[in-house]
Amino acid sequence: MTGKEALAYIHNVPWQGTRLGLERTRELMEKLGHPEEKLRFIHIAGTNGKGSTAAMTASVLRAAGLRTGLYTSPYLQVFNERMSVDGEMISDKELGEITSMIRPLAEEMADPPTEFELITAVAMAYFLRRRCDIVVLEVGMGGRLDSTNVIPAPEAAVICNIGLDHVAELGDTVEKIAFEKAGIIKPGCDTVLYEPESAGVAAVVRRVCEERGAALHTADFSALESLEDSVLGQTFSYKNHREIHIRLLGRHQLKNAAVVLELVEVLRGKGYAIAEEALRRGLAQAVWPGRFEVLHTAPAFIADGGHNRQCVEAVAAALEHYFPGKKIRFIMGVLADKDYDSMLEVLTPLAGRFYTLTPDSPRALSARALAEKLAPSGKCVEVCTDAADAVRRAMAEAGPEDVICCVGSLYMTGAVRTACRELLG
């Protein structure tokens, strides 16, 4: 099976849909000889920031000399991004070989796996094949019933920022969602928590940790001190960690970095040799495309996959910080099942013009429907045929001092990044 054939098989109709639960993944793991029991993990859940936190964590562990796997979703440009070892994504050859091995096992199951469960199985087999020392494993949705939660107790569970998203599946309050996220905490497992805005979230996570005998380590954002901040990166101090540099932009990324620093202290306490130089180098080298990513200057072109109110509030805060007083040209597309009314409420006051797109997803809201939603705002709105059309229009109409920002869905961010590169070279 080639890589292309593997993707066609994985994306095939019988595997489509979301069905939370661990039974199917457990059965697949058993058929594979339980690769998850032969690996060590950092398990990361949360509504927002878990991808950035995973990327920074993996970069630090690589810098410390550990053979590090990274499992994330969704992807921006190519499917292979979803699983990588030491920064190198899975090859088409390996993807084909592993999928060929798993195919007969999946097809003999009375209750067939979902697409995400298949992908998780491929990832586990891949990380074992590559003899990873440790795997940074990002939850797909929720945590308690997410297919990644078949793993044994990880070296640490990380709970990132929690907000309202996937409410139909996870619950309609942050406390209910926190309970689902905290489902990755296993007995005796060290847990690192992004300092919650909600006392209810903190109480839920604390209760789960107490019930399971898990030590809780909460980031203290009052200990963060920003030293330098520009579109080239940020330098900050946190507790006894002085003058740390990251490329990722926005105050929210300093908070994510503080979570990583708390995690490193936990790992050091477990005997992991993570030297200060490796920590600094790993954080300085970490990149996470499509998260307030500067694609161009003069005009400034920012790409961010923010897809819920909490995300776009962080984007809006960063735009106001880095480009004060500017009216933003937003390239925007959203999924129909997201709270896009709330997102528009945050972004519209900053907007000078909107270019609407239809994201590449069966759940997408059409570009025209989004434009109709924006009509009462009185803002100029252009309906675009695709990402290339939106990028061409925005760049043609923008002056060198203007700011363009793509936001609303990761499902279009990759296409916008590609279009931007092709247009600007």
Side-chain angles (χ1 to χ4, degrees), residues 231-297:
V231 292
L232 300 178
Q234 305 186 78
T235 302
F236 69 100
S237 293
Y238 178 73
K239 295 184 177 179
N240 62 324
H241 300 280
R242 313 306 298 174
E243 298 185 0
I244 301 290
H245 182 77
I246 60 172
R247 299 185 195 182
L248 306 183
L249 302 180
R251 173 75 181 180
H252 59 292
Q253 295 293 8
L254 294 187
K255 295 178 177 180
N256 292 332
V259 170
V260 176
L261 291 170
E262 292 286 348
L263 171 61
V264 166
E265 293 304 325
V266 168
L267 294 176
R268 284 172 169 170
K270 288 176 171 287
Y272 283 82
I274 303 174
E276 192 65 17
E277 183 276 332
L279 169 61
R280 291 174 174 277
R281 179 160 44 89
L283 284 173
Q285 292 175 342
V287 294
W288 194 230
R291 282 72 173 183
F292 211 83
E293 179 185 13
V294 180
L295 301 178
H296 190 258
T297 57

Side-chain angles (χ1 to χ4, degrees), residues 162-230:
I162 291 176
L164 291 173
D165 202 4
H166 299 295
V167 293
E169 296 85 2
L170 305 179
D172 58 1
T173 68
V174 289
E175 289 80 11
K176 290 177 182 177
I177 291 172
F179 175 75
E180 295 298 327
K181 308 291 186 186
I184 69 169
I185 300 169
K186 295 184 170 63
C189 165
D190 280 274
T191 301
V192 180
L193 177 64
Y194 181 107
E195 183 181 9
E197 296 177 5
S198 160
V201 167
V204 169
V205 176
R206 185 166 55 249
R207 184 179 71 248
V208 172
C209 285
E210 289 171 354
E211 290 171 352
R212 299 178 187 176
L216 178 60
H217 313 263
T218 304
D220 177 9
F221 297 149
S222 69
L224 272 171
E225 181 185 3
S226 177
L227 303 175
E228 294 181 18
D229 188 5
S230 75

Side-chain angles (χ1 to χ4, degrees), residues 402-419:
D402 285 336
V403 181
I404 303 164
C405 180
C406 164
V407 70
S409 175
L410 276 169
Y411 288 93
M412 68 176 190
T413 307
V416 167
R417 292 176 80 245
T418 297

Side-chain angles (χ1 to χ4, degrees), residues 23 30 32 49 66-67 79 119 176 186 223 235 245 252 266 285 296 319 332 343 350 396 401 420-421:
E23 299 81 8
E30 183 176 0
L32 285 167
L66 293 164
R67 192 167 184 77
F79 174 90
I119 296 166
K176 290 177 182 177
K186 295 184 170 63
T235 302
H245 182 77
H252 59 292
V266 168
Q285 292 175 342
H296 190 258
L319 287 169
M332 190 170 186
M343 294 161 63
L350 296 181
E401 301 301 316
C420 194
R421 281 202 303 267

